[in-house]
Amino acid sequence: MDYSKILNNKILSVKPSGIRKFFDIASEMDNVISLSVGEPDFKTPWHVREAGISSLQMGKTWYTPNRGLTLLTEEISNYYNRRFNLKYDPKKQVIVTVGGSEAIDVAIRCIVGNGDEVIIPQPSFVCYEPLTIMAGATPVLVETKVENEFRLTPEELENAITDKTKLLILPYPNNPTGAIMEKKDLEAIAEVIKKHDIMVLSDEIYAELTYNNERHISIASIEGMQERTIIVNGFSKSYAMTGWRLGYTLAPEELVSQMLKLHQFCIMSAPTTAQYAAIEALRNGDEDIESMRKEYEMRKNYIVGSFEKLGLHCFVPKGAFYCFPCVKSTGLTSGDFCTKLIKDKHVAIVPGSAFGECGEGYVRVSYANSLKNIKEAMKRIGEFLTEIKDGN
Amino acid sequence: MNKLLKLLSENSNYTNSELALILNEPEDYIRAQIKEYEDKGIIKGYKAVVNWDKLEDTRVEAIIEVKVTPERETGFDKIAEEIMKFDEVKTVNLVAGSYDLSLVVTGNTMNDVASFVSRRLSPIANVISCQTNFILKNFKDGGVIMAETIEEEDARSYVL
C-alpha cells in the first residue's frame, strides 16, 4: 500500500526533529551527563504527590468536567491573581489541559486556518511551527537577535505583519535562550499588536523561573491586552510535574467557549489524579517554587560563568533553565559541535539549530541537573575545547 | 539558610572560584567570608565522607543510649564533657526522650565496643544505664547516600 497517498500532506511536510539521531547516540552510551533535557531534575514535591495518591485511594478515578475540576480552575484563577496580578473568571475563562502543549494546539487550531499567518519568534520551542502547519496556516518566522537579548522588538514584529496575520506566539521566558520580555518591551510590542488588531498566544510555562529578583510580567497585564491574549501555562516546570501532563489556558470567554469544544472532542478532560495533585500544588506550593528557583539560579551563575571562562560567549539568561552559548568561535556547526561532544566526552547538549535555523551557531545547555554533574560536564567541555583547538 | 554554608556543608571541596561563580560574588569576598566563619568557629572543619564498607575494614559502630542523673550545678554538661573525651566516642548528643545522651561509638570489633561500654562508660558516676545498638548498615551519612545499590540513575527521557 502506498501510504504517502493516504497520509495528510501537511503531516508529511512536517520535518521530524533533527536531533532524534543524536539522542539515539546518547542512549547507547555509558557515563553520559545529560544537559539536554527540558525538564526539572527535581521530583514533584512530596505533599503534591501525596494529594494525587490520596485522590486515588478515595476512588477519584472518573472523568472530571471538561474544563477541569471546579476547585482547580478556582485555584488557577487565585494563583494568577496572586502571582501575576491578573483576574480570570474560573467558570468562564479557564480550561485545564493535558500539559501546556495541548493548550497551544487547541488555541492555534481555534484561531487560525487556511490562508492565515502566525508569527513565531525564533529560536523557540519546537512545537509552534508544526502545529501551525497542521492547522493549515502559514508560519512566519522572526529571528530574535542576541544584541537585543533575544527579545522581540516592535520593528521586527511590524515587519512580519501582513494583512493575513492573525496570531503572534510570544514564548517568554524563552526556551532555549533564557530571554525574558520586560514591561517596557511588552508595552512596545503591545502598541503594534493593538494597531494591527491581532491576537497573542503567550506561552508562560517558565513564568516562575526568572532570576535577579525580576518577576515575570504577562503581556495580558499590559493595558488593553487581556482581551487579545491567550495565556498558556502549566505545572510541569514550576512544580516539577512534567510526567503528570497538566497545563491550562486563560483567555477571554468568547475564545474559551470555542476552545472548550475542541478540547472536549479530542481530550475529554485532563487526567483526574493530576488535577487533584495540582490543587495541592497551587494551595501550598509557593515555597517549593522558590526553593527550586534559588537552586536553578546558583547553577545558572556557575554555568554561565564557566562558559565565559572557557571563552565561549554566553548570553546571560534571565529565565527558564537553559543557557545558550555561542560556539561559532570553534569553527564547528552547532550540530557537529554537539555530535563530537557526545562522542568524545559523553556530554549531551542540544544544537541551537533544533530551535529554528537562526539558532545555528549556538547550543542549548540545560542546567536542570545537579551542581555536581554540571561541574563534571563543564570540566569535560573544557577538555573538549582544548582538544578541538589543538586539532585532535 | 546561608547559601555559602549550605554549599560547603554539601561539598567542602568547592574551590573559592567555583563558589564565587555559583553565588555570583567576588572571589575575595568568598575567601573573607570563609575565613570569618572559620575564625568564629562557625565552620569547625572539613572532612571527607568515607564509605568504610568499601574497605575491608572491620570497624564497627554503635549507637549507645545513656541514662544519667544530672548534677545540681552543671546539669548534663559535665557528664557529657567527660564522655566526649574518649577517642572511641564520635558523637555526643543530649536528647529529649526516654534516655538522655545519645552516643556514636566506634571500635575495631564488637568486643572493643562492648568492653568500652562496660569498663569505661558504665563506671562513670551518674551513669544509670547504657543500651548498646550496633549499626548493621549505613544507608545515608551526613546527607550522602552510601548504599550504592539504590543510587538512582537519571531516568529522564530525551524529550525537548
Side-chain angles (χ1 to χ4, degrees), chain A residues 11 15 41 47 50-51 97 136 138 162 197 202 215-216 228 236 247 256 273 282 294-295 307 332 352 371 373-374:
Chain A
I11 192 67
K15 281 174 272 168
D41 55 315
H47 64 104
E50 225 170 12
T97 56
T138 309
T162 72
D197 215 17
S202 183
R215 289 286 296 157
H216 167 73
R228 302 180 176 283
S236 296
V256 162
T273 313
L282 291 170
K294 277 188 182 150
E295 190 70 35
F307 273 116
L332 296 175
L371 265 173
N373 285 345
I374 293 173

Side-chain angles (χ1 to χ4, degrees), chain B:
Chain B
M1 199 204 273
N2 180 306
K3 283 184 188 168
L4 175 58
L5 290 174
K6 183 169 180 280
L7 284 165
L8 283 173
S9 65
E10 285 161 3
N11 177 5
S12 62
N13 212 14
Y14 283 121
T15 64
N16 288 348
S17 83
E18 284 167 346
L19 291 166
L21 280 183
I22 295 168
L23 298 172
N24 201 20
E25 300 280 2
E27 210 172 314
D28 289 346
Y29 169 82
I30 299 287
R31 194 173 301 116
Q33 274 290 299
I34 292 177
K35 182 160 188 312
E36 190 185 324
Y37 289 140
E38 288 170 348
D39 291 347
K40 285 186 175 166
I42 293 171
I43 294 177
K44 299 285 278 187
Y46 304 87
K47 62 179 189 179
V49 181
V50 179
N51 187 353
W52 294 105
D53 292 349
K54 283 242 171 181
L55 301 172
E56 305 251 321
D57 201 314
T58 52
R59 276 161 38 106
V60 288
E61 275 187 347
I63 295 166
I64 300 177
E65 302 166 3
V66 188
K67 277 189 192 163
V68 299
T69 317
E71 293 185 329
R72 192 179 297 274
E73 295 287 319
T74 54
F76 294 97
D77 291 358
K78 214 178 131 221
I79 308 157
E81 276 170 30
E82 201 171 327
I83 290 173
M84 73 194 196
K85 280 180 193 146
F86 296 114
D87 290 339
E88 293 91 335
V89 176
K90 254 172 72 177
T91 308
V92 182
N93 286 310
L94 177 64
V95 297
S98 58
Y99 57 98
D100 305 303
L101 295 173
S102 167
L103 319 183
V104 178
V105 171
T106 58
N108 287 327
T109 62
M110 282 171 85
N111 224 351
D112 279 356
V113 174
S115 72
F116 169 78
V117 173
S118 61
R119 292 193 189 160
R120 314 192 72 172
L121 196 56
S122 302
I124 295 177
N126 297 19
V127 169
I128 302 166
S129 72
C130 299
Q131 170 129 5
T132 305
N133 308 285
F134 283 102
I135 292 174
L136 303 179
K137 185 173 177 181
N138 183 209
F139 289 96
K140 192 175 184 184
D141 200 1
V144 180
I145 292 171
M146 306 298 268
E148 286 181 6
T149 44
I150 57 166
E151 199 167 1
E152 285 178 61
E153 272 180 45
D154 190 345
R156 293 175 294 165
S157 328
Y158 294 103
V159 181
L160 274 179

Side-chain angles (χ1 to χ4, degrees), chain A residues 155-172:
Chain A
E155 296 76 29
E156 289 163 346
L157 177 59
E158 185 77 58
N159 289 338
I161 291 178
T162 72
D163 51 7
K164 293 177 184 155
T165 307
K166 265 191 160 179
L167 181 65
L168 163 69
I169 309 279
L170 197 62
Y172 294 94

Side-chain angles (χ1 to χ4, degrees), chain A residues 118-158:
Chain A
V118 177
I119 297 176
I120 304 171
Q122 286 187 333
S124 62
F125 184 52
V126 293
C127 80
Y128 312 118
E129 201 181 336
L131 293 179
T132 300
I133 293 170
M134 290 310 293
T138 309
V140 176
L141 309 176
V142 176
E143 177 184 351
T144 59
K145 301 198 176 63
V146 67
E147 55 267 31
N148 299 326
E149 302 193 348
F150 295 110
R151 294 164 198 224
L152 178 66
T153 68
E155 296 76 29
E156 289 163 346
L157 177 59
E158 185 77 58

Side-chain angles (χ1 to χ4, degrees), chain A residues 20-30 32 342 348, chain B residues 158:
Chain A
R20 189 69 255 171
K21 199 178 89 195
F22 159 82
F23 284 156
D24 291 343
I25 304 174
S27 60
E28 298 281 299
M29 268 177 187
D30 288 335
V32 173
I342 180 96
Chain B
Y158 294 103

Side-chain angles (χ1 to χ4, degrees), chain A residues 284-309:
Chain A
N284 298 309
D286 287 8
E287 278 176 29
D288 302 309
I289 294 176
E290 187 53 18
S291 76
M292 290 189 267
R293 198 195 60 77
K294 277 188 182 150
E295 190 70 35
Y296 289 129
E297 184 151 22
M298 291 199 286
R299 299 167 181 184
K300 178 211 68 165
N301 293 339
Y302 177 73
I303 206 163
V304 172
S306 303
F307 273 116
E308 291 292 347
K309 281 190 174 173

